[in-house]
Amino acid sequence: MAIDDPVQGPETDTPPTAPAGSGTNKGTGSGTPSSLWSSLRPLVLRLHFYAGLLIAPLLLIAATSGFLYALSIQAENVVYRHELRVPVGDRTLPLSEQLDAARAARPDATVTSVRLPSEDGATTRVLMSTPDAEESKSLAVFVDPYTAEVRGELTSYGSSGALPLRTWISELHRHLLLGDPGRVYSELAASWLWVVALGGVLLWVGRTRASKRALLTPERGATGRRRTLSLHGSLGLWAVTGLVLLSATGLTWSKYAGENIGSIQDQLGGATPAVSAALEGGSGGAGGGHEGHEGHESMPGMEDMPGMEGMAGGDVGIDLAVVAARQAGLDGPISVTLPTEGTGYVVAQIDNQFPVRLDSVAVDPANGMVMDELRFADYPLLAKLTRFGIDAHMGLFLGVTNQLALAALALSLILIICWGYRMWWLRRPTKDRRLSAGRAIPRGAWRKVPLTVLLPLAAAVALIGWFLPLLGISLLVFLALDGLLALRARARARTARTART
């Protein structure tokens, strides 16, 4: 993100020492807001500079791939139109017939779940497991709900149902197509994003300016580095809330920090609940015989439905399971997970649009009765916020509006990073040395911070570093390297003095 010193006043080649905010530099121990900021500013500036310089390439990759991902949701509808769309027919065929068509097309695979069409003209998505399927991926067979024609098959990823185009971009965004080792990159980027963003806001807000308007909009008439800084700072201020939220939601499913976040969420009673689909006696499922259900009554009207004769003690079928879920109030788009040994059908709403419809029920395959139900309204608050945050991060929460907002936020981050690097380049020591770069912020900034502030600050950094391990480890590595460079610089200085004498 930002990688330069927010210079005040005329442009210079070296960072200024005058404090931002009040414009005064009356010591660091008075405890007033201006003097406290005067002592903290060099430390924030140095952290902002180096974090931006070293982490910005990772953020640039994440922002670029995130921009593509936000647009890929709509792109899927174009690229895979043949699989996703069909002419609207007069009558929708039973789901059982559509599943039979999918099984006939791929007899080597096993049906695990089905996503019903969410609107007229959409295909039914039958998800199947195959022996060679990768983790979290399944085979999606697309069936015309009006004719049972198989329109094609594609690989589907995760609960979002991402198809190959979106999956490829998602994996680039998450781990650079390197698998688990590559997840270090995205967690580092997410861990530092909020630090760089908030540090930049502090530096930008703390500057002396003629009007409040200059805080929110680029400075008129500015040129060169000052103009770049104005663009960088004002856009960063507008984008900071979104960037911090992206950082927080991205960390929820990261490898190391995500485990800590999940643990705390569980301890606070905010774990995401799940509907119970376990059958009494641990029997049942497709072909399981459903022993122990002889005393259960069938769903009202089940025995009068076509094809249900002789089904007592067997499987009522997916069509009746859907009827039971609809009667339980599950309207809108739904998915159905088929029974396995000892479990029943799980029917869940999958509408992420606000207001969301994310209720779920478990249906007994022996009689079509609802065994358990879970309403999204009954989720713990933390579980709701986590769900909203993740869906918003993926562009699913508010549909096209969410996707456009993500694209705009990603583009803003790309511009902020580019302007930051441009400032660094423009601050190089001399215009004649074309390959030189801007000077680093001087060491020793922490010495200017009062001890009463430095100790609590160090404790807070240590706590955050433990909670966000990659942030803590990378910060320690930076401090160690910085210390070694300082020792080398002192050794060279001593050698130079000795040579002169």
Side-chain angles (χ1 to χ4, degrees):
M1 196 175 163
I3 54 176
D4 207 3
D5 174 13
V7 174
Q8 301 182 67
E11 294 184 328
T12 62
D13 287 334
T14 58
T17 57
S22 66
T24 181
N25 188 20
K26 304 212 175 188
T28 62
S30 67
T32 63
S34 60
S35 62
L36 179 60
W37 173 241
S38 298
S39 62
L40 282 175
R41 181 178 181 273
L43 184 62
V44 175
L45 184 58
R46 184 165 170 79
L47 178 65
H48 188 68
F49 176 87
Y50 274 111
L53 183 66
L54 301 175
I55 302 300
L58 304 182
L59 292 175
L60 187 59
I61 295 172
T64 304
S65 56
F67 177 79
L68 295 175
Y69 183 85
L71 301 179
S72 70
I73 298 176
Q74 298 301 320
E76 279 187 341
N77 295 328
V78 177
V79 175
Y80 304 116
R81 182 173 180 81
H82 177 76
E83 289 83 2
L84 297 174
R85 306 296 302 180
V86 293
V88 178
D90 297 329
R91 182 177 70 91
T92 300
L93 297 175
L95 281 172
S96 55
E97 293 187 25
Q98 299 179 50
L99 262 63
D100 289 341
R103 290 189 180 104
R106 287 301 301 262
D108 59 321
T110 303
V111 177
T112 56
S113 62
V114 182
R115 290 193 172 204
L116 277 63
S118 57
E119 58 184 350
D120 293 339
T123 54
T124 300
R125 188 178 303 196
V126 181
L127 299 177
M128 313 178 80
S129 63
T130 57
D132 57 345
E134 299 179 32
E135 184 180 2
S136 300
K137 293 183 179 180
S138 56
L139 176 69
V141 176
F142 299 86
V143 181
D144 187 331
Y146 309 106
T147 65
E149 173 195 0
V150 173
R151 301 280 293 182
E153 57 184 56
L154 297 166
T155 301
S156 176
Y157 174 76
S159 59
S160 66
L163 298 178
L165 172 64
R166 184 153 52 111
T167 299
W168 188 88
I169 298 175
S170 173
E171 291 179 343
L172 175 66
H173 180 70
R174 288 187 300 115
H175 52 59
L176 299 178
L177 307 176
L178 298 175
D180 275 348
R183 294 178 65 183
V184 171
Y185 123 80
S186 59
E187 186 167 347
L188 266 175
S191 297
W192 278 99
L193 175 57
W194 67 274
V195 177
V196 182
L198 293 179
V201 167
L202 285 176
L203 293 168
W204 181 246
V205 173
R207 285 170 52 81
T208 301
R209 48 180 50 84
S211 66
K212 292 183 178 179
R213 180 176 180 178
L215 181 70
L216 300 172
T217 60
E219 183 179 349
R220 293 183 178 180
T223 59
R225 180 178 175 278
R226 191 178 186 89
R227 178 175 182 274
T228 304
L229 170 62
S230 180
L231 293 168
H232 175 93
S234 57
L235 181 58
L237 187 62
W238 282 104
V240 64
T241 301
L243 295 178
V244 171
L245 290 175
L246 279 181
S247 174
T249 53
L251 286 170
T252 57
W253 65 75
S254 61
K255 185 174 180 62
Y256 303 106
E259 294 180 0
N260 291 334
I261 293 173
S263 176
I264 290 180
Q265 184 176 344
D266 291 346
Q267 293 175 15
L268 295 176
T272 301
V275 68
S276 175
L279 299 175
E280 294 180 9
S283 61
H290 311 294
E291 294 86 350
H293 294 274
E294 295 82 1
H296 290 196
E297 296 180 0
S298 299
M299 184 180 71
M302 182 188 75
E303 63 277 1
D304 298 327
M305 296 192 67
M308 291 300 107
E309 301 85 355
M311 289 300 293
D315 191 330
V316 298
I318 188 171
D319 293 287
L320 263 294
V322 171
V323 171
R326 296 298 191 192
Q327 291 181 350
L330 269 65
D331 57 349
I334 60 173
S335 70
V336 184
T337 301
L338 271 61
T340 58
E341 186 66 29
T343 68
Y345 289 96
V346 174
V347 185
Q349 292 175 315
I350 52 174
D351 185 5
N352 302 87
Q353 304 297 302
F354 189 82
V356 299
R357 289 179 288 182
L358 297 171
D359 298 342
S360 57
V361 299
V363 178
D364 192 328
N367 51 40
M369 297 294 291
V370 173
M371 302 184 296
D372 187 29
E373 60 181 52
L374 177 63
R375 305 297 173 180
F376 186 72
D378 297 328
Y379 276 37
L381 177 60
L382 282 178
K384 289 180 181 178
L385 293 177
T386 299
R387 180 60 189 259
F388 290 149
I390 291 176
D391 286 348
H393 190 106
M394 298 177 66
L396 304 175
F397 181 43
L398 299 173
V400 177
T401 302
N402 193 169
Q403 295 151 27
L404 291 176
L406 282 177
L409 193 59
L411 183 59
S412 298
L413 182 55
I414 292 171
L415 291 173
I416 290 169
I417 292 170
C418 292
W419 285 329
Y421 272 116
R422 175 167 172 76
M423 284 190 295
W424 181 50
W425 172 255
L426 291 175
R427 205 163 59 85
R428 62 194 188 276
T430 171
K431 303 299 181 183
D432 295 331
R433 295 173 58 190
R434 297 297 180 184
L435 296 180
S436 62
R439 292 192 182 102
I441 308 302
R443 295 185 180 89
W446 63 272
R447 297 191 185 95
K448 300 180 180 181
V449 182
L451 194 61
T452 54
V453 176
L454 184 61
L455 291 180
L457 183 62
V461 170
L463 180 62
I464 294 172
W466 170 84
F467 189 72
L468 306 178
L470 293 188
L471 174 63
I473 293 172
S474 57
L475 181 58
L476 288 175
V477 170
F478 160 69
L479 292 175
L481 291 176
D482 196 49
L484 291 174
L485 291 175
L487 291 175
R488 189 179 71 169
R490 291 172 185 171
R492 287 181 174 178
R494 285 196 299 268
T495 302
R497 287 195 299 268
T498 302
R500 286 196 299 269
T501 59

